[in-house]
Amino acid sequence: MTIHQNLIAGEWTGSSAVENINPSDTNEVVGLYAEASAEDTKAAIAAAKAAFPAWSRSGIWERHVILKKAGDEIMARKDEIGALLAREEGKILPEAIGETIRAAQIFEFFAGEALRLAGEVIPSVRPNIGVEITREPLGVIGIITPWNFPIAIPAWKIAPALCYGNTVVFKPAELVPGCSWAIVDILHRAGLPKGVLNLVMGKGSIVGQTMLDSPDLSGITFTGSTGTGKRVAAASLEHNRKFQLEMGGKNPMVVLDDADLNVAVEAAANSGFFSTGQRCTASSRLIVTEGIHDKFVAALTEKLQTLVVDNALKPTTNIGPVVDARQLKTDTDYIEIGKQEGAKLAFGGEIIKRETPGFFLQPTLFTEATNQMRISREEIFGPVASVIRVKDYDEALATANDTPFGLSAGIATTSLKHATHFKRNAEAGMVMVNLPTAGVDFHVPFGGRKGSSYGPREQGKYAAEFYTTVKTAYTLA
Ligand code: ADP
């Protein structure tokens, strides 16, 4: 098997490699991927630093052409790259192809944004002086990504970084190097000058930590766990460096008595269990008012019975495997915790066997949960959700907001009054009315509040806030 190497200063390098294993079939090695050392990482940072002056002054047309070419190639290869994604991460093929299309759309969007860079010219408060406000690239951006969106998250960080004239050192998650390698290869062939985009695959404790400790990164954008996010923050403050964090969620989905039951059940099933519950926007707290509670639980349980858990590549599968053995243990540990805390296991909870050896877990629903239980407060990141019974809308909103996180919040209701009030008062970066808490557009801001996020929003034109720095210039005319 050939080794997919790291890209450092425009050269593919690296001979030590690790196996990328398919969680739907642990006998299958998806590919061999190089493991970077601390020295490789330092070389990548040096290459990005050396490439910055020229790239930061490159023409916007050059950036447009490269980003557009990359978007076009990803779109043309969506089935092949989508299959690679499904094999390395375990989400089902339609979701994996959908994510690949989204990555292509993100590159197309930022190809357009490169041509729309603009500043402001305004009069000074002093006579005969003009003021110009412009955006400039930050410098070298460190990009550290998680395993749950192996192509979309790298795309929504790499595309704006390059669009605004930064150079990049990119470290994907250990479990999913395949899609990251594919997009770096595409961008490299699309004509990026050497050193502008460097790929260093490998361990967080080595590659990631070397990035955090480097004085030469002007910004780090991170998506992952709260614990690692805190390390990124502490190390970035030390180096007076800009940083952006997207971390966990414990997203509420409120269901009111007046909800359309089908809409509520579809939204809850999608939010809680699709993509194996492994989305930071997934909902694991279903907050349901008394009048609809029993009907909702019965209908959701009925729906869960119809969902097929199996190999991600099978066309009949609705839910693929959990990503690896460690995450499966976390999920089953939380299922035990939920039982011990006194929640009622209404559906699922068991590891299941399929034709291929993989990490298959039934979608799991608890009822009679309280918002104070650990299963309601801590992010599980698996196909596990709980129903919390509340008296009315006011208690539902208070419960929804009673969490350390604030990424996404959903409500199912036919009341304009409650929908409007919830949109204004939910303490979350994204609010969904009669829609799942997960599943967002690529051209508008993404991000949260409280313990979920730190720094400017990602995606859409708001991405410029992180990837540029503002300059104010005064001229005596
Ligand atoms: P998860 O537990 O979901 O894998 P992590 O926060 O550990 O979440 O991982 C997210 C990303 O952060 C991965 O690319 C991982 O390799 C990286 N990472 C882990 N530890 C560190 C660290 N000490 N410094 C920098 N990056 C790290």
Side-chain angles (χ1 to χ4, degrees), residues 144-147 171-174 202-205 208-209 212 222-225 228 231-232 326:
I144 300 177
T145 57
W147 49 260
K171 190 211 106 54
E174 294 89 318
K203 291 198 171 67
S205 56
Q209 194 61 44
L212 301 197
F222 167 84
T223 301
S225 65
T228 310
R231 296 172 87 113
V232 173
R326 194 182 68 144

